Every structure is written in C-alpha cells, then in structure tokens.
PDB file of all heavy atoms in Angstrom:
ATOM      1  N   VAL Z   9     -12.979  -3.587 -18.847  1.00  0.00           N
ATOM      2  CA  VAL Z   9     -12.202  -2.575 -19.563  1.00  0.00           C
ATOM      3  C   VAL Z   9     -11.104  -3.236 -20.389  1.00  0.00           C
ATOM      4  O   VAL Z   9     -10.870  -2.868 -21.538  1.00  0.00           O
ATOM      5  CB  VAL Z   9     -11.597  -1.556 -18.571  1.00  0.00           C
ATOM      6  CG1 VAL Z   9     -10.657  -0.588 -19.301  1.00  0.00           C
ATOM      7  CG2 VAL Z   9     -12.712  -0.780 -17.870  1.00  0.00           C
ATOM      8  N   GLY Z  10     -10.427  -4.201 -19.806  1.00  0.00           N
ATOM      9  CA  GLY Z  10      -9.463  -4.995 -20.548  1.00  0.00           C
ATOM     10  C   GLY Z  10      -8.186  -4.282 -20.940  1.00  0.00           C
ATOM     11  O   GLY Z  10      -7.586  -4.621 -21.965  1.00  0.00           O
ATOM     12  N   ALA Z  11      -7.742  -3.315 -20.138  1.00  0.00           N
ATOM     13  CA  ALA Z  11      -6.513  -2.581 -20.436  1.00  0.00           C
ATOM     14  C   ALA Z  11      -5.387  -3.071 -19.525  1.00  0.00           C
ATOM     15  O   ALA Z  11      -5.568  -3.156 -18.310  1.00  0.00           O
ATOM     16  CB  ALA Z  11      -6.730  -1.081 -20.242  1.00  0.00           C
ATOM     17  N   GLU Z  12      -4.249  -3.368 -20.110  1.00  0.00           N
ATOM     18  CA  GLU Z  12      -3.137  -3.902 -19.323  1.00  0.00           C
ATOM     19  C   GLU Z  12      -2.632  -2.912 -18.284  1.00  0.00           C
ATOM     20  O   GLU Z  12      -2.096  -3.319 -17.242  1.00  0.00           O
ATOM     21  CB  GLU Z  12      -1.986  -4.313 -20.244  1.00  0.00           C
ATOM     22  CG  GLU Z  12      -2.292  -5.559 -21.084  1.00  0.00           C
ATOM     23  CD  GLU Z  12      -1.084  -6.016 -21.868  1.00  0.00           C
ATOM     24  OE1 GLU Z  12      -0.006  -5.383 -21.721  1.00  0.00           O
ATOM     25  OE2 GLU Z  12      -1.201  -6.995 -22.617  1.00  0.00           O
ATOM     26  N   ASN Z  13      -2.761  -1.620 -18.537  1.00  0.00           N
ATOM     27  CA  ASN Z  13      -2.235  -0.610 -17.614  1.00  0.00           C
ATOM     28  C   ASN Z  13      -3.323  -0.060 -16.680  1.00  0.00           C
ATOM     29  O   ASN Z  13      -3.113   0.971 -16.031  1.00  0.00           O
ATOM     30  CB  ASN Z  13      -1.574   0.543 -18.369  1.00  0.00           C
ATOM     31  CG  ASN Z  13      -2.561   1.346 -19.199  1.00  0.00           C
ATOM     32  OD1 ASN Z  13      -3.518   0.801 -19.750  1.00  0.00           O
ATOM     33  ND2 ASN Z  13      -2.322   2.645 -19.292  1.00  0.00           N
ATOM     34  N   LEU Z  14      -4.465  -0.739 -16.594  1.00  0.00           N
ATOM     35  CA  LEU Z  14      -5.483  -0.416 -15.592  1.00  0.00           C
ATOM     36  C   LEU Z  14      -5.338  -1.404 -14.448  1.00  0.00           C
ATOM     37  O   LEU Z  14      -5.460  -2.619 -14.630  1.00  0.00           O
ATOM     38  CB  LEU Z  14      -6.885  -0.510 -16.195  1.00  0.00           C
ATOM     39  CG  LEU Z  14      -8.031  -0.110 -15.249  1.00  0.00           C
ATOM     40  CD1 LEU Z  14      -7.958   1.362 -14.880  1.00  0.00           C
ATOM     41  CD2 LEU Z  14      -9.385  -0.446 -15.879  1.00  0.00           C
ATOM     42  N   LYS Z  15      -5.035  -0.897 -13.254  1.00  0.00           N
ATOM     43  CA  LYS Z  15      -4.702  -1.747 -12.126  1.00  0.00           C
ATOM     44  C   LYS Z  15      -5.582  -1.437 -10.912  1.00  0.00           C
ATOM     45  O   LYS Z  15      -6.284  -0.428 -10.863  1.00  0.00           O
ATOM     46  CB  LYS Z  15      -3.228  -1.549 -11.740  1.00  0.00           C
ATOM     47  CG  LYS Z  15      -2.230  -1.916 -12.824  1.00  0.00           C
ATOM     48  CD  LYS Z  15      -2.180  -3.413 -13.069  1.00  0.00           C
ATOM     49  CE  LYS Z  15      -1.089  -3.795 -14.049  1.00  0.00           C
ATOM     50  NZ  LYS Z  15      -1.003  -5.265 -14.237  1.00  0.00           N
ATOM     51  N   LEU Z  16      -5.477  -2.316  -9.935  1.00  0.00           N
ATOM     52  CA  LEU Z  16      -6.233  -2.196  -8.696  1.00  0.00           C
ATOM     53  C   LEU Z  16      -5.409  -1.491  -7.628  1.00  0.00           C
ATOM     54  O   LEU Z  16      -4.276  -1.870  -7.348  1.00  0.00           O
ATOM     55  CB  LEU Z  16      -6.626  -3.587  -8.200  1.00  0.00           C
ATOM     56  CG  LEU Z  16      -7.345  -3.671  -6.848  1.00  0.00           C
ATOM     57  CD1 LEU Z  16      -8.710  -3.010  -6.913  1.00  0.00           C
ATOM     58  CD2 LEU Z  16      -7.472  -5.130  -6.413  1.00  0.00           C
ATOM     59  N   GLN Z  17      -5.988  -0.465  -7.049  1.00  0.00           N
ATOM     60  CA  GLN Z  17      -5.432   0.162  -5.857  1.00  0.00           C
ATOM     61  C   GLN Z  17      -6.091  -0.513  -4.653  1.00  0.00           C
ATOM     62  O   GLN Z  17      -7.254  -0.279  -4.361  1.00  0.00           O
ATOM     63  CB  GLN Z  17      -5.708   1.667  -5.865  1.00  0.00           C
ATOM     64  CG  GLN Z  17      -5.090   2.432  -4.717  1.00  0.00           C
ATOM     65  CD  GLN Z  17      -5.198   3.930  -4.933  1.00  0.00           C
ATOM     66  OE1 GLN Z  17      -4.955   4.416  -6.035  1.00  0.00           O
ATOM     67  NE2 GLN Z  17      -5.562   4.673  -3.902  1.00  0.00           N
ATOM     68  N   PHE Z  18      -5.344  -1.381  -3.993  1.00  0.00           N
ATOM     69  CA  PHE Z  18      -5.901  -2.230  -2.936  1.00  0.00           C
ATOM     70  C   PHE Z  18      -5.661  -1.556  -1.592  1.00  0.00           C
ATOM     71  O   PHE Z  18      -4.549  -1.578  -1.063  1.00  0.00           O
ATOM     72  CB  PHE Z  18      -5.241  -3.609  -2.967  1.00  0.00           C
ATOM     73  CG  PHE Z  18      -5.973  -4.662  -2.192  1.00  0.00           C
ATOM     74  CD1 PHE Z  18      -6.411  -5.824  -2.810  1.00  0.00           C
ATOM     75  CD2 PHE Z  18      -6.232  -4.505  -0.833  1.00  0.00           C
ATOM     76  CE1 PHE Z  18      -7.084  -6.808  -2.095  1.00  0.00           C
ATOM     77  CE2 PHE Z  18      -6.910  -5.468  -0.107  1.00  0.00           C
ATOM     78  CZ  PHE Z  18      -7.339  -6.624  -0.745  1.00  0.00           C
ATOM     79  N   ASP Z  19      -6.704  -0.949  -1.046  1.00  0.00           N
ATOM     80  CA  ASP Z  19      -6.621  -0.307   0.261  1.00  0.00           C
ATOM     81  C   ASP Z  19      -7.170  -1.274   1.303  1.00  0.00           C
ATOM     82  O   ASP Z  19      -8.361  -1.572   1.335  1.00  0.00           O
ATOM     83  CB  ASP Z  19      -7.420   0.997   0.248  1.00  0.00           C
ATOM     84  CG  ASP Z  19      -7.192   1.833   1.494  1.00  0.00           C
ATOM     85  OD1 ASP Z  19      -7.315   1.281   2.612  1.00  0.00           O
ATOM     86  OD2 ASP Z  19      -6.922   3.042   1.366  1.00  0.00           O
ATOM     87  N   LEU Z  20      -6.273  -1.758   2.153  1.00  0.00           N
ATOM     88  CA  LEU Z  20      -6.655  -2.774   3.127  1.00  0.00           C
ATOM     89  C   LEU Z  20      -7.651  -2.246   4.150  1.00  0.00           C
ATOM     90  O   LEU Z  20      -8.484  -3.010   4.661  1.00  0.00           O
ATOM     91  CB  LEU Z  20      -5.405  -3.328   3.807  1.00  0.00           C
ATOM     92  CG  LEU Z  20      -4.571  -4.228   2.880  1.00  0.00           C
ATOM     93  CD1 LEU Z  20      -3.093  -4.046   3.113  1.00  0.00           C
ATOM     94  CD2 LEU Z  20      -4.964  -5.682   3.047  1.00  0.00           C
ATOM     95  N   TYR Z  21      -7.584  -0.983   4.453  1.00  0.00           N
ATOM     96  CA  TYR Z  21      -8.553  -0.368   5.371  1.00  0.00           C
ATOM     97  C   TYR Z  21      -9.960  -0.456   4.790  1.00  0.00           C
ATOM     98  O   TYR Z  21     -10.903  -0.920   5.446  1.00  0.00           O
ATOM     99  CB  TYR Z  21      -8.143   1.086   5.621  1.00  0.00           C
ATOM    100  CG  TYR Z  21      -9.186   1.942   6.271  1.00  0.00           C
ATOM    101  CD1 TYR Z  21      -9.431   1.882   7.641  1.00  0.00           C
ATOM    102  CD2 TYR Z  21      -9.927   2.854   5.515  1.00  0.00           C
ATOM    103  CE1 TYR Z  21     -10.395   2.689   8.242  1.00  0.00           C
ATOM    104  CE2 TYR Z  21     -10.885   3.665   6.101  1.00  0.00           C
ATOM    105  CZ  TYR Z  21     -11.111   3.588   7.463  1.00  0.00           C
ATOM    106  OH  TYR Z  21     -12.061   4.388   8.045  1.00  0.00           O
ATOM    107  N   HIS Z  22     -10.131  -0.023   3.558  1.00  0.00           N
ATOM    108  CA  HIS Z  22     -11.451  -0.066   2.931  1.00  0.00           C
ATOM    109  C   HIS Z  22     -11.935  -1.506   2.753  1.00  0.00           C
ATOM    110  O   HIS Z  22     -13.116  -1.816   2.969  1.00  0.00           O
ATOM    111  CB  HIS Z  22     -11.416   0.630   1.570  1.00  0.00           C
ATOM    112  CG  HIS Z  22     -11.159   2.095   1.649  1.00  0.00           C
ATOM    113  ND1 HIS Z  22     -11.903   2.952   2.419  1.00  0.00           N
ATOM    114  CD2 HIS Z  22     -10.224   2.868   1.028  1.00  0.00           C
ATOM    115  CE1 HIS Z  22     -11.452   4.191   2.282  1.00  0.00           C
ATOM    116  NE2 HIS Z  22     -10.425   4.162   1.438  1.00  0.00           N
ATOM    117  N   CYS Z  23     -11.029  -2.397   2.363  1.00  0.00           N
ATOM    118  CA  CYS Z  23     -11.406  -3.788   2.145  1.00  0.00           C
ATOM    119  C   CYS Z  23     -11.858  -4.453   3.430  1.00  0.00           C
ATOM    120  O   CYS Z  23     -12.839  -5.215   3.429  1.00  0.00           O
ATOM    121  CB  CYS Z  23     -10.237  -4.553   1.523  1.00  0.00           C
ATOM    122  SG  CYS Z  23     -10.604  -6.289   1.138  1.00  0.00           S
ATOM    123  N   GLN Z  24     -11.173  -4.177   4.526  1.00  0.00           N
ATOM    124  CA  GLN Z  24     -11.568  -4.776   5.792  1.00  0.00           C
ATOM    125  C   GLN Z  24     -12.982  -4.354   6.184  1.00  0.00           C
ATOM    126  O   GLN Z  24     -13.779  -5.167   6.671  1.00  0.00           O
ATOM    127  CB  GLN Z  24     -10.571  -4.394   6.892  1.00  0.00           C
ATOM    128  CG  GLN Z  24     -10.971  -4.812   8.302  1.00  0.00           C
ATOM    129  CD  GLN Z  24     -10.979  -6.313   8.516  1.00  0.00           C
ATOM    130  OE1 GLN Z  24     -10.609  -7.078   7.628  1.00  0.00           O
ATOM    131  NE2 GLN Z  24     -11.423  -6.734   9.681  1.00  0.00           N
ATOM    132  N   ILE Z  25     -13.321  -3.096   5.963  1.00  0.00           N
ATOM    133  CA  ILE Z  25     -14.648  -2.595   6.327  1.00  0.00           C
ATOM    134  C   ILE Z  25     -15.726  -3.205   5.441  1.00  0.00           C
ATOM    135  O   ILE Z  25     -16.799  -3.589   5.921  1.00  0.00           O
ATOM    136  CB  ILE Z  25     -14.666  -1.064   6.252  1.00  0.00           C
ATOM    137  CG1 ILE Z  25     -13.785  -0.477   7.359  1.00  0.00           C
ATOM    138  CG2 ILE Z  25     -16.095  -0.520   6.379  1.00  0.00           C
ATOM    139  CD1 ILE Z  25     -13.557   1.016   7.260  1.00  0.00           C
ATOM    140  N   MET Z  26     -15.465  -3.340   4.155  1.00  0.00           N
ATOM    141  CA  MET Z  26     -16.495  -3.785   3.216  1.00  0.00           C
ATOM    142  C   MET Z  26     -16.525  -5.300   3.016  1.00  0.00           C
ATOM    143  O   MET Z  26     -17.593  -5.880   2.823  1.00  0.00           O
ATOM    144  CB  MET Z  26     -16.292  -3.108   1.852  1.00  0.00           C
ATOM    145  CG  MET Z  26     -16.411  -1.602   1.876  1.00  0.00           C
ATOM    146  SD  MET Z  26     -18.023  -0.994   2.441  1.00  0.00           S
ATOM    147  CE  MET Z  26     -19.108  -1.577   1.126  1.00  0.00           C
ATOM    148  N   ASP Z  27     -15.356  -5.950   3.028  1.00  0.00           N
ATOM    149  CA  ASP Z  27     -15.281  -7.354   2.635  1.00  0.00           C
ATOM    150  C   ASP Z  27     -14.603  -8.272   3.645  1.00  0.00           C
ATOM    151  O   ASP Z  27     -14.939  -9.448   3.730  1.00  0.00           O
ATOM    152  CB  ASP Z  27     -14.531  -7.490   1.300  1.00  0.00           C
ATOM    153  CG  ASP Z  27     -15.319  -6.935   0.129  1.00  0.00           C
ATOM    154  OD1 ASP Z  27     -16.400  -7.465  -0.142  1.00  0.00           O
ATOM    155  OD2 ASP Z  27     -14.840  -5.988  -0.526  1.00  0.00           O
ATOM    156  N   GLY Z  28     -13.619  -7.755   4.390  1.00  0.00           N
ATOM    157  CA  GLY Z  28     -12.842  -8.616   5.285  1.00  0.00           C
ATOM    158  C   GLY Z  28     -12.012  -9.634   4.515  1.00  0.00           C
ATOM    159  O   GLY Z  28     -11.764  -9.483   3.322  1.00  0.00           O
ATOM    160  N   ASP Z  29     -11.560 -10.686   5.229  1.00  0.00           N
ATOM    161  CA  ASP Z  29     -10.819 -11.784   4.605  1.00  0.00           C
ATOM    162  C   ASP Z  29      -9.652 -11.252   3.768  1.00  0.00           C
ATOM    163  O   ASP Z  29      -9.453 -11.620   2.607  1.00  0.00           O
ATOM    164  CB  ASP Z  29     -11.766 -12.624   3.740  1.00  0.00           C
ATOM    165  CG  ASP Z  29     -11.261 -14.038   3.492  1.00  0.00           C
ATOM    166  OD1 ASP Z  29     -10.365 -14.480   4.235  1.00  0.00           O
ATOM    167  OD2 ASP Z  29     -11.759 -14.687   2.557  1.00  0.00           O
ATOM    168  N   LEU Z  30      -8.839 -10.387   4.378  1.00  0.00           N
ATOM    169  CA  LEU Z  30      -7.863  -9.591   3.641  1.00  0.00           C
ATOM    170  C   LEU Z  30      -6.824 -10.421   2.902  1.00  0.00           C
ATOM    171  O   LEU Z  30      -6.545 -10.167   1.726  1.00  0.00           O
ATOM    172  CB  LEU Z  30      -7.157  -8.627   4.607  1.00  0.00           C
ATOM    173  CG  LEU Z  30      -8.049  -7.572   5.263  1.00  0.00           C
ATOM    174  CD1 LEU Z  30      -7.231  -6.733   6.237  1.00  0.00           C
ATOM    175  CD2 LEU Z  30      -8.713  -6.689   4.210  1.00  0.00           C
ATOM    176  N   ILE Z  31      -6.233 -11.387   3.568  1.00  0.00           N
ATOM    177  CA  ILE Z  31      -5.160 -12.146   2.933  1.00  0.00           C
ATOM    178  C   ILE Z  31      -5.673 -12.937   1.737  1.00  0.00           C
ATOM    179  O   ILE Z  31      -5.020 -12.997   0.688  1.00  0.00           O
ATOM    180  CB  ILE Z  31      -4.448 -13.044   3.960  1.00  0.00           C
ATOM    181  CG1 ILE Z  31      -3.563 -12.177   4.870  1.00  0.00           C
ATOM    182  CG2 ILE Z  31      -3.614 -14.125   3.268  1.00  0.00           C
ATOM    183  CD1 ILE Z  31      -2.851 -12.932   5.970  1.00  0.00           C
ATOM    184  N   ARG Z  32      -6.846 -13.525   1.859  1.00  0.00           N
ATOM    185  CA  ARG Z  32      -7.391 -14.278   0.716  1.00  0.00           C
ATOM    186  C   ARG Z  32      -7.715 -13.336  -0.450  1.00  0.00           C
ATOM    187  O   ARG Z  32      -7.493 -13.681  -1.620  1.00  0.00           O
ATOM    188  CB  ARG Z  32      -8.639 -15.053   1.146  1.00  0.00           C
ATOM    189  CG  ARG Z  32      -8.333 -16.192   2.105  1.00  0.00           C
ATOM    190  CD  ARG Z  32      -7.506 -17.286   1.434  1.00  0.00           C
ATOM    191  NE  ARG Z  32      -7.154 -18.342   2.361  1.00  0.00           N
ATOM    192  CZ  ARG Z  32      -5.949 -18.509   2.903  1.00  0.00           C
ATOM    193  NH1 ARG Z  32      -4.970 -17.681   2.606  1.00  0.00           N
ATOM    194  NH2 ARG Z  32      -5.716 -19.495   3.753  1.00  0.00           N
ATOM    195  N   HIS Z  33      -8.225 -12.149  -0.162  1.00  0.00           N
ATOM    196  CA  HIS Z  33      -8.463 -11.183  -1.238  1.00  0.00           C
ATOM    197  C   HIS Z  33      -7.149 -10.789  -1.903  1.00  0.00           C
ATOM    198  O   HIS Z  33      -7.069 -10.706  -3.139  1.00  0.00           O
ATOM    199  CB  HIS Z  33      -9.175  -9.939  -0.693  1.00  0.00           C
ATOM    200  CG  HIS Z  33     -10.665 -10.080  -0.597  1.00  0.00           C
ATOM    201  ND1 HIS Z  33     -11.473 -10.213  -1.704  1.00  0.00           N
ATOM    202  CD2 HIS Z  33     -11.493 -10.105   0.478  1.00  0.00           C
ATOM    203  CE1 HIS Z  33     -12.732 -10.318  -1.312  1.00  0.00           C
ATOM    204  NE2 HIS Z  33     -12.773 -10.254  -0.003  1.00  0.00           N
ATOM    205  N   LEU Z  34      -6.126 -10.539  -1.111  1.00  0.00           N
ATOM    206  CA  LEU Z  34      -4.826 -10.207  -1.686  1.00  0.00           C
ATOM    207  C   LEU Z  34      -4.313 -11.322  -2.587  1.00  0.00           C
ATOM    208  O   LEU Z  34      -3.796 -11.072  -3.683  1.00  0.00           O
ATOM    209  CB  LEU Z  34      -3.814  -9.940  -0.575  1.00  0.00           C
ATOM    210  CG  LEU Z  34      -3.893  -8.595   0.145  1.00  0.00           C
ATOM    211  CD1 LEU Z  34      -2.958  -8.596   1.350  1.00  0.00           C
ATOM    212  CD2 LEU Z  34      -3.544  -7.444  -0.786  1.00  0.00           C
ATOM    213  N   GLU Z  35      -4.446 -12.544  -2.141  1.00  0.00           N
ATOM    214  CA  GLU Z  35      -3.968 -13.680  -2.929  1.00  0.00           C
ATOM    215  C   GLU Z  35      -4.727 -13.802  -4.245  1.00  0.00           C
ATOM    216  O   GLU Z  35      -4.122 -14.003  -5.301  1.00  0.00           O
ATOM    217  CB  GLU Z  35      -4.100 -14.966  -2.118  1.00  0.00           C
ATOM    218  CG  GLU Z  35      -3.147 -15.045  -0.943  1.00  0.00           C
ATOM    219  CD  GLU Z  35      -3.440 -16.227  -0.032  1.00  0.00           C
ATOM    220  OE1 GLU Z  35      -4.571 -16.758  -0.069  1.00  0.00           O
ATOM    221  OE2 GLU Z  35      -2.532 -16.623   0.720  1.00  0.00           O
ATOM    222  N   ARG Z  36      -6.051 -13.692  -4.178  1.00  0.00           N
ATOM    223  CA  ARG Z  36      -6.866 -13.864  -5.386  1.00  0.00           C
ATOM    224  C   ARG Z  36      -6.666 -12.727  -6.380  1.00  0.00           C
ATOM    225  O   ARG Z  36      -6.733 -12.935  -7.598  1.00  0.00           O
ATOM    226  CB  ARG Z  36      -8.347 -13.966  -5.014  1.00  0.00           C
ATOM    227  CG  ARG Z  36      -8.739 -15.289  -4.343  1.00  0.00           C
ATOM    228  CD  ARG Z  36     -10.245 -15.447  -4.301  1.00  0.00           C
ATOM    229  NE  ARG Z  36     -10.879 -14.451  -3.460  1.00  0.00           N
ATOM    230  CZ  ARG Z  36     -11.154 -14.610  -2.155  1.00  0.00           C
ATOM    231  NH1 ARG Z  36     -10.812 -15.740  -1.552  1.00  0.00           N
ATOM    232  NH2 ARG Z  36     -11.745 -13.667  -1.470  1.00  0.00           N
ATOM    233  N   GLN Z  37      -6.420 -11.535  -5.889  1.00  0.00           N
ATOM    234  CA  GLN Z  37      -6.362 -10.356  -6.756  1.00  0.00           C
ATOM    235  C   GLN Z  37      -4.935  -9.882  -7.005  1.00  0.00           C
ATOM    236  O   GLN Z  37      -4.720  -8.850  -7.638  1.00  0.00           O
ATOM    237  CB  GLN Z  37      -7.191  -9.231  -6.123  1.00  0.00           C
ATOM    238  CG  GLN Z  37      -8.657  -9.612  -5.973  1.00  0.00           C
ATOM    239  CD  GLN Z  37      -9.414  -8.738  -4.993  1.00  0.00           C
ATOM    240  OE1 GLN Z  37      -9.035  -7.616  -4.732  1.00  0.00           O
ATOM    241  NE2 GLN Z  37     -10.491  -9.267  -4.436  1.00  0.00           N
ATOM    242  N   PHE Z  38      -3.970 -10.651  -6.557  1.00  0.00           N
ATOM    243  CA  PHE Z  38      -2.584 -10.189  -6.544  1.00  0.00           C
ATOM    244  C   PHE Z  38      -2.108  -9.729  -7.919  1.00  0.00           C
ATOM    245  O   PHE Z  38      -1.440  -8.694  -8.043  1.00  0.00           O
ATOM    246  CB  PHE Z  38      -1.672 -11.294  -6.009  1.00  0.00           C
ATOM    247  CG  PHE Z  38      -0.249 -10.847  -5.844  1.00  0.00           C
ATOM    248  CD1 PHE Z  38       0.106  -9.993  -4.810  1.00  0.00           C
ATOM    249  CD2 PHE Z  38       0.724 -11.273  -6.731  1.00  0.00           C
ATOM    250  CE1 PHE Z  38       1.425  -9.571  -4.665  1.00  0.00           C
ATOM    251  CE2 PHE Z  38       2.038 -10.853  -6.585  1.00  0.00           C
ATOM    252  CZ  PHE Z  38       2.390  -9.997  -5.560  1.00  0.00           C
ATOM    253  N   SER Z  39      -2.435 -10.457  -8.953  1.00  0.00           N
ATOM    254  CA  SER Z  39      -1.923 -10.123 -10.288  1.00  0.00           C
ATOM    255  C   SER Z  39      -2.470  -8.799 -10.805  1.00  0.00           C
ATOM    256  O   SER Z  39      -1.895  -8.212 -11.734  1.00  0.00           O
ATOM    257  CB  SER Z  39      -2.263 -11.237 -11.284  1.00  0.00           C
ATOM    258  OG  SER Z  39      -3.665 -11.370 -11.432  1.00  0.00           O
ATOM    259  N   ALA Z  40      -3.555  -8.316 -10.226  1.00  0.00           N
ATOM    260  CA  ALA Z  40      -4.172  -7.073 -10.681  1.00  0.00           C
ATOM    261  C   ALA Z  40      -3.720  -5.856  -9.888  1.00  0.00           C
ATOM    262  O   ALA Z  40      -4.027  -4.717 -10.258  1.00  0.00           O
ATOM    263  CB  ALA Z  40      -5.698  -7.175 -10.590  1.00  0.00           C
ATOM    264  N   ILE Z  41      -2.980  -6.062  -8.798  1.00  0.00           N
ATOM    265  CA  ILE Z  41      -2.671  -4.970  -7.871  1.00  0.00           C
ATOM    266  C   ILE Z  41      -1.547  -4.092  -8.402  1.00  0.00           C
ATOM    267  O   ILE Z  41      -0.483  -4.568  -8.770  1.00  0.00           O
ATOM    268  CB  ILE Z  41      -2.291  -5.533  -6.486  1.00  0.00           C
ATOM    269  CG1 ILE Z  41      -3.508  -6.206  -5.836  1.00  0.00           C
ATOM    270  CG2 ILE Z  41      -1.758  -4.422  -5.575  1.00  0.00           C
ATOM    271  CD1 ILE Z  41      -3.193  -6.924  -4.534  1.00  0.00           C
ATOM    272  N   GLY Z  42      -1.816  -2.780  -8.405  1.00  0.00           N
ATOM    273  CA  GLY Z  42      -0.795  -1.815  -8.792  1.00  0.00           C
ATOM    274  C   GLY Z  42      -0.275  -0.987  -7.642  1.00  0.00           C
ATOM    275  O   GLY Z  42       0.769  -0.344  -7.756  1.00  0.00           O
ATOM    276  N   HIS Z  43      -0.998  -0.994  -6.523  1.00  0.00           N
ATOM    277  CA  HIS Z  43      -0.601  -0.202  -5.366  1.00  0.00           C
ATOM    278  C   HIS Z  43      -1.402  -0.689  -4.165  1.00  0.00           C
ATOM    279  O   HIS Z  43      -2.542  -1.150  -4.321  1.00  0.00           O
ATOM    280  CB  HIS Z  43      -0.885   1.284  -5.620  1.00  0.00           C
ATOM    281  CG  HIS Z  43      -0.344   2.214  -4.565  1.00  0.00           C
ATOM    282  ND1 HIS Z  43       0.993   2.390  -4.347  1.00  0.00           N
ATOM    283  CD2 HIS Z  43      -0.980   3.029  -3.671  1.00  0.00           C
ATOM    284  CE1 HIS Z  43       1.173   3.279  -3.375  1.00  0.00           C
ATOM    285  NE2 HIS Z  43      -0.006   3.680  -2.945  1.00  0.00           N
ATOM    286  N   ILE Z  44      -0.813  -0.561  -2.972  1.00  0.00           N
ATOM    287  CA  ILE Z  44      -1.480  -0.982  -1.740  1.00  0.00           C
ATOM    288  C   ILE Z  44      -1.433   0.166  -0.744  1.00  0.00           C
ATOM    289  O   ILE Z  44      -0.456   0.933  -0.701  1.00  0.00           O
ATOM    290  CB  ILE Z  44      -0.802  -2.244  -1.161  1.00  0.00           C
ATOM    291  CG1 ILE Z  44      -1.093  -3.455  -2.051  1.00  0.00           C
ATOM    292  CG2 ILE Z  44      -1.256  -2.524   0.273  1.00  0.00           C
ATOM    293  CD1 ILE Z  44      -0.342  -4.714  -1.663  1.00  0.00           C
ATOM    294  N   GLN Z  45      -2.496   0.294   0.051  1.00  0.00           N
ATOM    295  CA  GLN Z  45      -2.534   1.290   1.114  1.00  0.00           C
ATOM    296  C   GLN Z  45      -2.983   0.645   2.418  1.00  0.00           C
ATOM    297  O   GLN Z  45      -3.716  -0.356   2.403  1.00  0.00           O
ATOM    298  CB  GLN Z  45      -3.472   2.448   0.751  1.00  0.00           C
ATOM    299  CG  GLN Z  45      -2.940   3.299  -0.394  1.00  0.00           C
ATOM    300  CD  GLN Z  45      -3.913   4.358  -0.854  1.00  0.00           C
ATOM    301  OE1 GLN Z  45      -5.116   4.130  -0.908  1.00  0.00           O
ATOM    302  NE2 GLN Z  45      -3.401   5.528  -1.194  1.00  0.00           N
TER     303      GLN Z  45
END
C-alpha cells in the first residue's frame, strides 16, 4: 500500500496463537506499529 499513515495493530494474543516468538516479531516490526493489544 505504501501509505505513511497505514500502521500495524499488533495484538500479542493473536500473534502468539498464529506465529509465536513475540519479542522478535515486535523488534522486527517495531517501526510499523501504531497500536498494541
């Protein structure tokens, strides 16, 4: 999409179920995060 105001809503609950490795995902995606749950 390439829009500066399009961000990632990082829900740790959903990420743990689907992907795990939460801290590494947070680190890699940190610059894109607009909100955390």
